[in-house]
Amino acid sequence: MTFAQAKEKLEKYGQEHLLKYYDELSAQEQDMLLAQIAATDMEILEACRHREELSKKGVITPLAAMQLPEIEANREEFTAIGLDAIRAGKVGAVLLAGGMGTRLGSDDPKGMFNVGMTRELYIFECIIHNLLDVVTQADTWIHLFIMTSDKNHEATVKFLKEHRFFGYRESFVHFFTQEMAAATDYEGKIFLEEKGKLSTSPNGNGGWFISMKKAGLLEMAHEEGIQWMNVFAVDNVLQRIADPCFVGATIRKNCVVGAKVVRKSTPDEKVGVMCLEDGRPSIVEYYELTRELMEAKDENGDPAYNFGVILNYLFSVAELERILEQRLPLHIVEKKIPYLDEAGEQIKPQEPNGYKYENLVLDMIHQMESCLPFEVVREKEFAPIKNRTGVDSVESARALLQKNGVQL
Ligand code: UTP
């Protein structure tokens, strides 16, 4: 893109300030800035002016979960079906590790966090060990795809290599990076992070499949015969991945996606809840859950919206390809964004000062034809690390790891 083309694009979106320092830059920096301007989607930034319209929901009705007694009664059958699929190479695992982990407040990728107390035990290590359990049980390797972002890619790859992938076979580990999105002030003006660089932030975990395709890994998945992708978050150290029983139940029930869920601890717990929206599977966020929905009962008199998602989904690859062209809703999130002030000084704000723009994997559920919410025991499978202390923290995860016999 030439300077004139960049100027024209920026004028169209009211972002001309991004060229303020252009003349001070070296030729190489100028080229990089122009390339970044060319690559940035500025269309989406308009959305911050009508944020409230973005979260409009359809008609919410309950979606029954497969609960523990039914799972126990069929465990053997489901597990056999799941193991068959895994042994046939039909299941891949996708670790979403492109997030910034700002709440944890470490500069390193979240997976590098050491949860050990008397020994080193990293988040990545916990996750890989959990997956290795299934590798051992099935006696076959499972392809593990790891999504990073420009902000943490190098550090993640270096760390995992240094630790020899914690025993995972390297030829079964595949990295890809997600896209970035511009970060703006409250008026939708993109911040400069440096004189020749726009502020960007990872564009949410919803772009994982598109990014994976762009990296050529979808082709590779086809060649390997992968038909299911188990997508999961980096921060749940008790996460069961490629769980044969879960895989088998989703296949047996002829669903195109399975979602691991936990019974809510309180009606107002801050988790997204499985439901139907306009008759299709969906997830309603805790802040969208009205009192009426919170208190609604199903035909057995149990709470109708009682199962929260834990970011562990099993997607049919064919369905993912079907929805590839569909746009996901945009989420605009308040955030602390480092920026250059009027005087050209770099500022690291202590309080949120603008927006980042994200797509979320949970919105992909609504694009699917059918979904199986699959209950898991919270104390055994859900120990998210979002914060240092308090709820969903290093402290609470450590306690849960110990409860499950993991030596810290
Ligand atoms: P979170 O919603 O907890 O976001 O991500 P985060 O960025 O990691 O943490 P905070 O909000 O800044 O504290 C849930 C999962 O989605 C991944 C994260 O790595 C985590 O596994 N994620 C999130 C991405 O892969 N990319 C993103 O752009 C955002």
Side-chain angles (χ1 to χ4, degrees):
M1 179 175 258
T2 62
F3 178 81
Q5 286 167 331
K7 194 156 176 278
E8 193 185 51
K9 178 172 179 181
L10 296 177
E11 276 167 4
K12 181 170 168 204
Y13 296 104
Q15 307 283 355
E16 308 89 295
H17 59 282
L18 298 174
L19 292 172
K20 182 172 170 187
Y21 301 104
Y22 187 80
D23 293 336
E24 293 177 31
L25 304 175
S26 68
Q28 198 192 3
E29 287 168 339
Q30 288 180 340
D31 286 347
M32 277 165 67
L33 178 61
L34 295 181
Q36 204 188 7
I37 291 169
T40 300
D41 179 358
M42 298 191 184
E43 200 100 23
I44 60 169
L45 309 177
E46 288 284 310
C48 75
R49 296 201 183 94
H50 43 88
R51 279 175 83 207
E52 49 310 323
E53 280 169 36
L54 296 177
S55 53
K56 283 222 171 96
K57 283 273 175 199
V59 177
I60 305 294
T61 50
L63 170 62
M66 182 186 275
Q67 300 183 27
L68 296 173
E70 186 181 353
I71 294 169
E72 281 321 311
N74 296 283
R75 181 167 291 281
E76 229 172 276
E77 184 198 353
F78 292 159
T79 304
I81 296 172
L83 283 174
D84 277 351
I86 292 165
R87 289 187 181 123
K90 291 182 184 165
V91 181
V94 184
L95 167 57
L96 303 175
M100 299 281 281
T102 43
R103 282 169 287 173
L104 187 61
S106 160
D107 285 339
D108 288 331
K110 205 186 240 187
M112 284 172 61
F113 193 85
N114 178 13
V115 288
M117 295 197 293
T118 61
R119 64 176 183 128
E120 287 175 5
L121 180 66
Y122 301 98
I123 292 182
F124 279 136
E125 188 174 2
C126 295
I127 284 173
I128 288 177
H129 282 174
N130 293 348
L131 183 56
L132 276 170
D133 286 347
V134 183
V135 168
T136 307
Q137 187 185 2
D139 196 20
T140 186
W141 288 95
I142 295 167
H143 285 285
L144 170 62
F145 301 91
I146 302 180
M147 181 168 86
T148 59
S149 80
D150 287 354
K151 305 260 178 194
N152 66 14
H153 181 77
E154 257 172 59
T156 302
V157 175
K158 184 165 172 271
F159 178 80
L160 286 171
K161 283 199 166 152
E162 270 169 14
H163 287 87
R164 296 175 179 273
F165 298 91
F166 296 106
Y168 216 77
R169 186 175 281 182
E170 189 172 351
S171 56
F172 280 79
V173 181
H174 317 277
F175 292 96
F176 63 102
T177 48
Q178 68 175 100
E179 320 285 304
M180 304 296 281
T184 71
D185 67 12
Y186 293 121
E187 268 68 56
K189 299 259 185 233
I190 299 174
F191 283 119
L192 278 174
E193 187 176 310
E194 292 166 22
K195 290 186 174 176
K197 195 168 173 223
L198 278 50
S199 279
T200 56
S201 137
N203 70 343
N205 54 28
W208 69 272
F209 191 62
I210 292 175
S211 302
M212 198 170 167
K213 183 170 191 266
K214 280 189 184 158
L217 289 171
L218 181 56
E219 231 168 281
M220 178 239 132
H222 278 311
E223 280 158 19
E224 291 291 309
I226 296 174
Q227 296 178 6
W228 296 92
M229 299 269 191
N230 187 183
V231 178
F232 62 100
V234 71
D235 45 36
N236 175 7
V237 282
L238 285 181
Q239 188 105 245
R240 305 307 305 173
I241 308 141
D243 169 0
C245 185
F246 174 49
V247 173
T250 307
I251 294 174
R252 179 76 180 75
K253 291 292 163 185
N254 280 323
C255 285
V256 292
V257 64
K260 285 203 165 185
V261 293
V262 290
R263 196 172 288 265
K264 288 206 299 185
S265 54
T266 54
D268 59 352
E269 189 187 351
K270 291 182 173 169
V271 286
V273 173
M274 288 288 339
C275 62
L276 290 174
E277 181 186 350
D278 296 333
R280 295 175 71 87
S282 188
I283 290 158
V284 53
E285 283 287 6
Y286 67 91
Y287 48 81
E288 294 165 340
L289 204 63
T290 58
R291 176 104 345 238
E292 194 189 331
L293 290 177
M294 238 181 253
E295 288 166 2
K297 301 277 188 283
D298 66 14
E299 63 279 5
N300 304 319
D302 296 323
Y305 302 94
N306 205 22
F307 290 96
V309 287
I310 60 170
L311 217 176
N312 188 316
Y313 304 108
L314 182 74
F315 285 101
S316 140
V317 174
E319 275 297 291
L320 288 169
E321 291 189 278
R322 185 186 62 77
I323 63 164
L324 200 59
E325 300 300 323
Q326 293 179 19
R327 254 196 124 110
L328 283 170
L330 193 64
H331 293 255
I332 300 184
V333 195
E334 263 195 278
K335 216 192 154 222
K336 296 178 217 164
I337 302 158
Y339 68 103
L340 284 192
D341 68 6
E342 280 299 305
E345 294 293 320
Q346 273 178 337
I347 309 287
K348 246 189 160 183
Q350 298 305 312
E351 295 301 325
N353 61 328
Y355 295 134
K356 66 175 181 177
Y357 298 75
E358 294 190 328
N359 294 130
L360 301 181
V361 63
L362 61 83
D363 288 318
M364 293 169 99
I365 301 296
H366 191 47
Q367 299 175 330
M368 296 279 149
E369 296 294 337
S370 54
C371 175
L372 176 73
F374 178 93
E375 184 183 0
V376 298
V377 179
R378 171 190 290 263
E379 290 73 21
K380 290 191 178 156
E381 293 204 26
F382 190 42
I385 298 180
K386 301 284 184 193
N387 308 296
R388 286 257 164 184
T389 56
V391 179
D392 296 343
S393 67
V394 179
E395 280 173 355
S396 59
R398 277 184 177 145
L400 282 163
L401 280 167
Q402 281 173 324
K403 238 183 168 177
N404 281 278
V406 179
Q407 198 213 326
L408 296 179

